[in-house]
Amino acid sequence: ETNTLPFHPFENQQGDIHRMEKEHQVLQEQLREAEEKFEQLQSRSLEEIGALEELLKKSIEETKVSQNELDWFHQDSETQMKKWQQEKKENRENLKALRGTAKKHTDTNERYLKTIDDKEKQYNVCFDTFLETSNKFANEKGKLEELIKKSQDDSQECEKRAVKAEVSVLQTWKETEIWKLQGTIAKAEGNLRMLKALSSSASAAPVLKSQLDSWETFISNVKKQLEKVEAEYEEKIELVRNGARNCLSKVEIVDFPCP
C-alpha cells in the first residue's frame, strides 16, 4: 500500500511528487538552453562588433583617398551602429527576460525543494509511526499466538481427559453388566448341576427333563447376552477412543426370566 496508493494528503493521485520532479528537470533544461542561446547571441554580437571595428579602421584609411567615400562610410557606419544598437537593445531585453525566467524557475525550484523536504519529513514521521504500530501489532500477534497454542494444548488435554473419562465409565458399565450376567450364569449352572444330580435316579428323570432343558436354554441365552454386551461396550469404547461423540450410553440388556 505504501508504494502503490496516493500518499495523502501530499498526493491527490499516484505520482504527483514524481511528476513535480520531472517538471523541475524540464525547467532546468529550458534554463540551460536559454543560457546557451544568450552566450551564442553575445558571441555573435562580439563578432559583429569586431567586424564593424575592422570596417571602421578600413574606412578611416580610405578617408585619405576620398571624402565622398568617407561620407558614405559614415552613413554606412551609422546605419550599422543603429542596427547593432537595436540588436544590443533587443539582446538586453532578451537577457532581462531570460534572467526573469531564470529567477522564476529558481524560485519555483526552491519552492518545490522546500515542499519535497517538508513532505519527506512528514513521510518519515508517518513511517516511524507505522513501524511503531507494526511492532506493537507483531508483539500482540505473538502473545495471541502463544495464547492460542496454550488454549489448543489445554483443549487437547481436556479432550484426552474426556475420552479417558468416557472410556472409564463405559469400562465400568461393561464390567458391572458382565459381573451381573456372569453371576446369573453361575447361579443357573449351580441349579442345573443340582437338577442333573436329582435326575440320576430313573424315577425322577422324566419329571426333571423339561426343567433341565429350560435351564440349559436359559444359560445359553444369558451367555449370548453376555457376549453381545461385551462386544457392544468394546465397540463404544473403540469409537470414543477414535474421537466419536454421544457414545456414553448403556447397552440395552434383555432380562430373561429364570425357569
Side-chain angles (χ1 to χ4, degrees), residues 103-216:
K103 186 176 183 304
K104 181 180 179 181
H105 292 167
T106 302
D107 294 340
T108 303
N109 183 31
E110 291 178 354
R111 186 170 66 253
Y112 286 163
L113 289 175
K114 185 177 182 301
T115 302
I116 292 172
D117 185 62
D118 293 339
K119 290 183 177 180
E120 186 176 2
K121 290 179 180 178
Q122 295 177 3
Y123 168 77
N124 290 331
V125 172
C126 293
F127 185 70
D128 292 339
T129 304
F130 166 75
L131 289 179
E132 182 180 356
T133 305
S134 178
N135 293 332
K136 181 179 178 182
F137 285 160
N139 293 332
E140 292 180 356
K141 180 183 178 182
K143 293 178 181 179
L144 289 175
E145 287 177 349
E146 291 179 358
L147 290 175
I148 290 171
K149 186 177 183 302
K150 184 177 182 301
S151 298
Q152 289 176 346
D153 294 340
D154 293 342
S155 176
Q156 291 177 357
E157 183 65 25
C158 290
E159 287 180 0
K160 291 179 181 179
R161 291 171 60 188
V163 169
K164 186 176 180 181
E166 289 186 10
V167 170
S168 177
V169 171
L170 291 171
Q171 191 73 29
T172 302
W173 287 348
K174 183 188 79 169
E175 293 174 357
T176 301
E177 297 299 334
I178 289 175
W179 177 79
K180 290 180 180 180
L181 293 172
Q182 286 176 345
T184 302
I185 292 171
K187 290 180 181 179
E189 288 178 344
N191 292 333
L192 183 61
R193 284 194 299 272
M194 184 175 61
L195 289 174
K196 284 183 179 180
L198 292 174
S199 65
S200 60
S201 63
S203 60
V207 178
L208 298 176
K209 185 178 185 306
S210 61
Q211 294 186 20
L212 289 172
D213 293 339
S214 298
W215 279 104
E216 288 178 351

Side-chain angles (χ1 to χ4, degrees), residues 37-88:
K37 183 177 180 181
F38 169 73
E39 291 176 357
Q40 292 175 359
L41 291 174
Q42 190 177 31
S43 176
R44 189 176 67 181
S45 297
L46 291 175
E47 290 176 359
E48 290 179 355
I49 290 171
L52 291 173
E53 288 177 348
E54 185 68 22
L55 182 60
L56 179 61
K57 181 178 179 182
K58 183 177 179 180
S59 298
I60 291 173
E61 291 176 354
E62 290 177 353
T63 55
K64 298 178 181 180
V65 179
S66 174
Q67 184 65 37
N68 292 330
E69 291 180 356
L70 179 61
D71 294 338
W72 176 83
F73 175 75
H74 283 166
Q75 291 176 359
D76 185 65
S77 296
E78 288 177 357
T79 302
Q80 293 294 333
M81 184 62 69
K82 288 180 180 179
K83 181 180 179 181
W84 176 80
Q85 288 178 350
Q86 182 66 28
E87 289 180 354
K88 184 178 180 180

Side-chain angles (χ1 to χ4, degrees), residues 241-259:
R241 286 174 177 170
N242 291 332
R245 294 293 180 268
N246 300 323
C247 294
L248 196 62
S249 61
K250 290 184 177 182
V251 174
E252 185 179 355
I253 298 175
V254 178
D255 188 13
F256 295 102
C258 292

